[in-house]
Amino acid sequence: MSRKDSKGMFTAVLSQINDDDQGVADSASVKSKSPHLLKVAAGVRQMQERSEIADKLLREGDHTVELDPDTILPSLIPDRFDSAYDDAAVSDIVESMRVRGQIVPGLVRPVSNDIGSFQIVYGRRRLAAAKILGIKFRAAVRELTDEEAVIFQGEENTSREDLSFIEKCLFAVAQQEAGYKRETICASLSTGKSHVSEMIKIGTSIPKDILHAIGKAPSIGRNRWEDFLQLYGIDSSTQIVADTIRKRSFLDASSDDRFNTLLAAMKTDMGARKPVTGQARNSQAWVPQDRSVSVRLKDNGKSATLAIGNADGPKFAAFIAERLDDLYEAFRKDVSEQ
């Protein structure tokens, strides 16, 4: 049904309801209006109001409106840990909006298959604060494709520089899993393909339950997450991590301290109590989630060696060797695109 047709339907229904209301008011035998009829009327009026908003936005382009926060759909791709939107995490925003109102609007887009509905593009913490305060959410509205929406979402977070590195990694992974092209992921994070590839590698090589146990780790950057990845999955480190994240001292620590605790525990297990620096950073490790193979790369700047072990290590090595021509072609293509 078109928006024009639905608008006409709403008008006709409201007209009928108003006629019925007038009839009820004139009848001496009925002393009150039907609660069911009033509920239907309120629902139809709300749908008509949303439709009129959508019509106006489509005519005028970007426009700031006030919306019921409970009616706004979540964004397509998550860009933060869920804890970023709980009451404690948005308490400062709640207090600011309580005193001064919502100064900076968010961005929503009309949902084409649901007349009058909108989906959040950015401003989710302001939206969470508006829900807590029980007030309307101010937002600009723009017609956006899925790809445009995720780029706007990522660019807003990048410009505010408040997403941690690991949140960016998981944002990139979520886009890849949703089928977005690498160009879209790069645009949403304002970075190049090689950097995005590293983010996705970290976000997929460390199990998500471990990442969520650590949290956003706001002070932990790319190099230290690479150090973490080098150690995770080697020898008994996976068991050490699994045991540590269940300890009360770990659960009570800050997100940064949880990361540091796990990294220190793995270094102790590997007999490497000093930070990984210099030549050691030329050694990289990778293991899949099923732990059936382990891969370690050692690079001295002049040559590199690849060691493949664990149960399926020999089979995986043979599998790679049979496909060297294809892998090299893919490598040359990737280098030429950077």
Side-chain angles (χ1 to χ4, degrees), residues 78 80-83 166 170 206-216 225 245 250-251 255 258:
R80 301 178 189 276
F81 290 98
D82 291 340
S83 59
I166 198 61
L170 291 179
I206 304 172
K208 288 185 179 179
D209 62 326
I210 302 299
L211 296 178
H212 284 280
I214 295 171
K216 67 180 294 181
W225 276 108
I245 64 175
F250 176 87
L251 298 173
S255 183
R258 290 197 293 269

Side-chain angles (χ1 to χ4, degrees), residues 223 227 230 274-283 299-300:
N223 287 341
D227 292 346
Q230 287 175 24
K274 295 182 179 181
V276 181
T277 57
Q279 184 67 22
R281 277 212 176 122
N282 292 327
S283 177
D299 178 8
N300 62 15

Side-chain angles (χ1 to χ4, degrees), residues 66 83 100 102 133 144-145 248 282 314:
E66 291 188 344
S83 59
R100 291 181 287 274
Q102 184 187 341
L133 292 170
L144 298 170
T145 65
R248 174 53 57 184
N282 292 327

Side-chain angles (χ1 to χ4, degrees), residues 152-197:
F152 269 92
Q153 179 182 350
E155 286 182 341
E156 168 69 5
N157 288 323
T158 300
S159 66
R160 286 187 281 114
E161 297 183 348
D162 60 351
L163 277 188
S164 68
F165 176 77
I166 198 61
E167 284 180 309
K168 292 178 181 178
C169 292
L170 291 179
F171 185 41
V173 171
Q175 290 183 66
Q176 176 174 267
E177 292 175 345
Y180 287 91
K181 294 180 179 180
R182 189 56 58 93
E183 290 77 10
T184 299
I185 302 176
C186 291
S188 72
L189 290 165
S190 301
T191 190
K193 288 185 178 180
S194 60
H195 196 191
V196 165
S197 295

